Structure formats: C-alpha cells, structure tokens
C-alpha cells in the first residue's frame, strides 16, 4: 500500500477481536521494529511480548488500555546503552530510539491488517515491578496488538490534524 494511504488508514484500535495474532505476523512486526534506526546504532530498545494468560491478566490490572488485545508489547530501553549527547548535558536518545522502533511496529502491524494503540496511561514503576524489568531499563510505552473487533472504529479525534502551516516552518 502507498505509504501515505497506510498512514491515513491507521488509527488507534481500542476494541479487539478474540482472534489470535499469527506467529509469522508477530515475528514480522517485531522484525520491523528491530530494523528501526537508533542513535549511533546502539539499539538500547527492548520489547517484551506479553501474551500468556498470566501476563495479560497482570496488564489488565495495571491499565484499562490493554483493551482486551491478545498481545500487548511493552517497550523499554536500557539506560546503560542509550546514546548520550556529548554536546548537550542531559540529552539522551533512549526514548527517541524506542519511539522510532514502536512506530515501525505500529505501521508494520497496520500494513498486515492488525490494530495497535500507543499507550502511556500506566504507572511505569508498577509495570516495571510487575514484570521484573531490570533496574537499568526504563519503560516507555505499552502497545496492544490484535485484529480490530468488527465494530471497532476510529475515535472522533482520529485524523484531526493541524494544517501543515501550523506545524511546519520554512526558514
Ligand atoms: C505518546 C502517546 C501516548 C498515547 N497514550 C494513549 C493512552 O494511554 N491511551 C489511549 O487510548 N491512547 C493513547 N494514545 C493514542 C492517541 O490518543 C491517538 O494516537 C491520537 O488521539 C490520534 O488518534 P489516532 O491514533 O486514531 O489517529 C497515545 C498516543 C501517543 C502518541
């Protein structure tokens, strides 16, 4: 599919079918995330695939935004491995690196007919504790993945983009 068509068609799915995600499709979207660029190619991102009954039950207790999806991805980055900008104190690449990888996953999923939603509505510390995430890793987002329910539809805010004139400046 043409890229702009795909980007327009993707929306945040908040209701999922019971249908499981095929392993080949899951592998494919994880591979797409793995191909994402990262600062200095340090690849600090980590992806936890939550799909066991136990893991999904835990996530449902931690956020309402798993939306009953059969798979939820937890994206973290290893703070020891992120790039630190030597020219600007405190500027580090971990969140950016993870975000690019997650965006690759999101769009790859859409290209395969799978729905996703970017989710920040959770307590990072509680999620890290619940899944035994190592102390040097920081969680960034959760991403439910699955087939959209038959009656799934974009929320009203989908597609309401500011005009380019408001977000782009030519200098
Ligand atoms: C950083 C970020 C955090 C988000 N957190 C949540 C969330 O916690 N729960 C949720 O339902 N949607 C969340 N979203 C989805 C946005 O609400 C959604 O992408 C936006 O409204 C545009 O709608 P669309 O994705 O359908 O085009 C988040 C999106 C981003 C980029």
């Amino acid at each position: 599919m043409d890229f702009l068509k795909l980007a327009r068609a993707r929306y945040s799915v908040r209701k999922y079918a019971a249908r499981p995600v095929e392993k080949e499709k899951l592998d494919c979207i994880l591979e797409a995330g793995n191909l994402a660029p990262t600062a200095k190619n340090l690849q600090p991102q980590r992806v936890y695939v939550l799909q066991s009954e136990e893991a999904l039950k835990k996530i449902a207790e931690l956020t309402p935004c798993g939306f009953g999806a059969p798979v939820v991805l937890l994206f973290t980055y290893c703070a020891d491995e992120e790039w630190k900008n030597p020219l600007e104190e405190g500027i580090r690449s971990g969140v950016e690196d993870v975000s690019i990888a997650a965006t690759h996953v999101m769009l790859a999923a859409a290209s395969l007919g799978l729905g996703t939603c970017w989710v920040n509505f959770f307590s990072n510390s509680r999620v890290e504790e619940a899944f035994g995430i190592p102390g040097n890793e920081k969680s960034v987002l959760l991403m439910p993945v699955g087939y959209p329910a038959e009656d799934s539809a974009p929320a009203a805010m989908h597609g309401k983009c500011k005009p380019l004139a408001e977000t782009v400046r030519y200098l």
Side-chain angles (χ1 to χ4, degrees):
M1 195 196 285
D2 166 71
F3 182 74
L4 272 188
K5 258 194 193 161
L6 177 71
R8 280 203 183 93
R10 184 218 57 83
Y11 70 93
S12 294
V13 173
R14 298 186 174 90
K15 196 170 180 194
Y16 291 86
R19 180 177 167 191
V21 175
E22 298 85 345
K23 176 148 179 21
E24 309 78 61
K25 288 198 176 182
L26 185 58
D27 288 346
C28 176
I29 66 174
L30 292 170
E31 179 66 16
N34 213 39
L35 290 168
T38 57
K40 220 175 173 185
N41 203 25
L42 290 173
Q43 303 171 58
Q45 76 274 20
R46 303 286 184 273
V47 187
Y48 294 84
V49 180
L50 312 179
Q51 59 179 6
S52 67
E53 208 175 300
E54 190 196 346
L56 293 172
K57 185 169 175 278
K58 264 192 207 175
I59 211 68
E61 286 163 5
L62 290 159
T63 177
C65 294
F67 301 120
V71 177
V72 177
L73 303 177
L74 164 60
F75 287 83
T76 74
Y77 68 89
C78 176
D80 301 332
E81 293 178 24
E82 66 179 335
W83 180 72
K84 285 126 193 130
N85 187 341
L87 302 179
E88 198 66 55
E89 180 70 32
I91 298 292
R92 295 157 175 243
S93 70
V95 173
E96 287 164 277
D97 292 328
V98 168
S99 297
I100 298 167
T103 304
H104 272 214
V105 169
M106 185 174 243
L107 290 168
S111 78
L112 296 174
L114 291 166
T116 60
C117 186
W118 192 296
V119 169
N120 279 13
F121 185 58
F122 64 94
S123 156
N124 298 68
S125 53
R126 289 187 59 210
V127 163
E128 287 160 16
E129 192 191 334
F131 293 103
I133 304 304
N136 57 353
E137 279 181 42
K138 310 275 176 220
S139 58
V140 178
L141 71 134
L142 293 166
M143 185 181 286
V145 180
Y147 287 95
E150 251 178 51
D151 58 348
S152 164
M157 55 195 161
H158 167 73
K160 297 227 164 30
C161 300
K162 293 178 182 176
L164 281 184
E166 262 186 58
T167 58
V168 180
R169 303 274 180 278
Y170 293 90
L171 304 176

